[in-house]
């Protein structure tokens, strides 16, 4: 007779590549029913539209069919119900809100926000795009909409519907006139825009943030509940310092960074069709430095500099959406809880629940910093001199960064150290070996 435990045993061979655990321990298997020689169950993923869906289904069918006596298998793929994060009238039917940010202007943040909106719409999601830049709204230019008529219903603004996307921008309210405003007025306008647009039902709302990492960006992060942020950067000089600044700003308000998009990373030559990485190798060390992934490298492409027309024609890189959906799934599964951290005068102790503590001497940890001030951004060579680290170096403050890293403020005035959890574990295992 077919037993439930045998089915779970074979299914536990399937590992979720993002969460690094098998799908049985992750609690993905639901409604398992055995009826004679037929088996049916559902696999509940953490996020709808997960690109791994088909891989899990095929593998599960194959494994269960290999059990003696099983003649028929029915696998239904489902997704965990999203809890709506925002209760305001404006966003209460929006499942995920994702900020698209950059520390500097001109890196292509608005272009990437619009590209993401198009990619997600092309996958069948209901998508909105909100441009919150008061001083230089780009959405009217990006979509070539200069005569929008925003309708007001009761006290709410209704976003524009444009080829299947819902769009809203300060540009639609202000026209082409530049905004001249002082700080408090800006915050007030932004808060109004965040809370008075009636988005209706959406799977994803992308917020094109104003460039920078200051008060306006914090106002946005504190007014609404964001699932996470995508940071857009180019590999131009000092951009890694900017990425660190962006990560730390969002972490101040407990918003995880979902990943980085490296824009204008390469170009494809007309003659040889080869990808030329102008600013260095495709492989980026962001993951090693900050514990976050590079979601995509986007080429310099003259088509991207043209106005967006339909989302179908602008959706050209479906990997971009797939990678981001997987990141959202990882965050919602909350697979890795942050460690408990103890700061002592000579070392730092990290303890992950259920694991032995990892103790690292302050000197060694400070020396392992891979920020842009300690390691050359381009050559990857260490610029920090071990002998320059004060003998009495100690950590003043530790802040967990989402579920991937900690940032440490050191007594030598160095504040930009980010240590991915995997770096901490590798220092420990390097010494053990
Ligand atoms: P930001 O929002 O960071 O200020 P924009 O998205 O407005 O930047 O882009 C700045 C300029 O660069 C725009 O003219 C845009 O069309 C162009 N651009 C952005 N990304 C690309 C790309 N991948 N290829 C070619 N041009 C791009």
């Amino acid at each position: 007779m077919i037993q439930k435990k045998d089915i779970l045993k074979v299914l536990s061979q399937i590992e979720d590549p993002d969460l690094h655990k098998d799908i049985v321990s992750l609690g993905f298997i639901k409604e398992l029913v055995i009826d004679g020689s037929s088996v049916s169950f559902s696999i509940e993923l953490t996020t709808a539209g997960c690109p791994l869906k088909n891989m899990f289904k095929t593998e599960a069918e194959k494994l269960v069919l290999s059990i003696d006596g099983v003649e028929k298998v029915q696998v239904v793929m489902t997704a965990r119900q999203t809890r709506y994060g925002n209760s305001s009238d404006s966003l209460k039917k929006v499942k995920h809100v994702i900020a698209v940010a950059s520390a500097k202007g001109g890196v292509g943040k608005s272009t990437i926000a619009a590209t993401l909106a198009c990619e997600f719409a092309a996958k069948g999601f209901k998508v909105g795009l909100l441009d919150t830049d008061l001083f230089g709204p780009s959405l009217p230019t990006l979509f070539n909409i200069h005569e929008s008529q925003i309708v007001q219903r009761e006290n709410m603004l209704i976003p524009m519907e444009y080829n299947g996307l819902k769009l809203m921008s300060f540009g639609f309210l202000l026209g082409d006139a530049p905004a001249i405003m002082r700080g408090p007025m800006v915050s007030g306008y932004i808060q109004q825009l965040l809370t008075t647009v009636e988005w209706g039902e959406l799977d994803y709302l992308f917020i094109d943030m104003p460039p920078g990492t200051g008060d306006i960006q914090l106002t946005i992060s504190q007014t609404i509940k964001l699932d996470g942020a995508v940071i857009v950067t180019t590999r131009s000089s000092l951009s890694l310092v900017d990425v660190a600044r962006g990560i730390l700003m969002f972490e101040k308000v407990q918003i995880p960074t979902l990943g980085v998009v490296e824009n204008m990373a390469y170009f494809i030559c007309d003659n040889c069709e080869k990808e030329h990485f102008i600013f260095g190798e495709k492989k980026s060390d962001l993951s090693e430095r900050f514990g976050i992934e590079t979601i995509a490298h986007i080429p310099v492409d003259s088509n991207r500099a043209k106005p967006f027309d339909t989302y179908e024609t602008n959706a050209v890189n479906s990997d971009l959406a797939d990678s981001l959906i997987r990141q959202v799934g990882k965050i919602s599964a909350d697979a890795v809880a942050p460690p408990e951290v103890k700061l002592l005068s000579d070392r730092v102790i990290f303890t992950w629940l259920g694991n032995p503590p990892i103790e690292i001497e302050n000197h060694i940890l400070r020396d392992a910093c891979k920020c842009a001030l300690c390691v050359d951004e381009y050559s990857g060579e260490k610029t920090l001199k071990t002998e320059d680290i004060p003998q009495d170096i100690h950590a003043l403050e530790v802040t967990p960064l989402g579920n991937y890293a900690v940032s440490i403020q050191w007594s030598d005035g160095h504040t930009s150290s980010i240590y991915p959890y995997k770096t901490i574990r590798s220092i420990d295992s390097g010494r053990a070996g």
Side-chain angles (χ1 to χ4, degrees), residues 208-334:
D208 181 3
M209 304 277 279
T213 48
D215 288 346
I216 302 178
Q217 292 72 18
L218 277 182
T219 301
I220 297 175
S221 335
Q222 285 166 333
T223 307
I224 56 175
K225 179 161 180 335
L226 297 165
D227 288 71
V230 171
I231 297 182
V232 180
T233 184
T234 59
R235 288 252 196 132
S236 62
S237 131
L238 288 183
S239 59
L240 284 184
V241 178
D242 292 338
V243 171
R245 210 175 283 151
I247 297 172
L248 292 174
M249 179 198 80
F250 282 113
E251 289 298 342
K252 233 192 245 176
V253 280
Q254 271 113 50
I255 294 167
T257 300
L258 297 165
V260 170
V261 172
E262 278 192 34
N263 191 25
M264 301 190 253
Y266 64 98
F267 75 93
I268 299 171
C269 171
D270 279 351
N271 290 328
C272 64
E273 306 247 319
K274 211 177 124 190
E275 293 177 356
H276 295 269
F277 281 80
I278 329 157
F279 302 111
E281 286 288 291
K282 176 173 186 175
K283 188 183 161 301
S284 129
D285 52 4
L286 285 171
S287 159
E288 199 189 313
R289 282 178 192 249
F290 306 125
I292 53 172
E293 304 295 329
T294 300
I295 301 175
H297 295 90
I298 306 290
V300 179
D301 175 2
S302 56
N303 286 324
R304 262 173 227 274
K306 291 183 191 149
F308 284 59
D309 36 35
T310 67
Y311 66 76
E312 289 95 341
T313 50
N314 288 293
V316 288
N317 182 341
S318 89
D319 283 356
L320 182 60
D322 284 350
S323 309
L324 189 52
I325 295 168
R326 287 173 70 168
Q327 287 303 112
V328 172
K330 258 200 221 180
I331 298 281
S332 48
D334 207 15

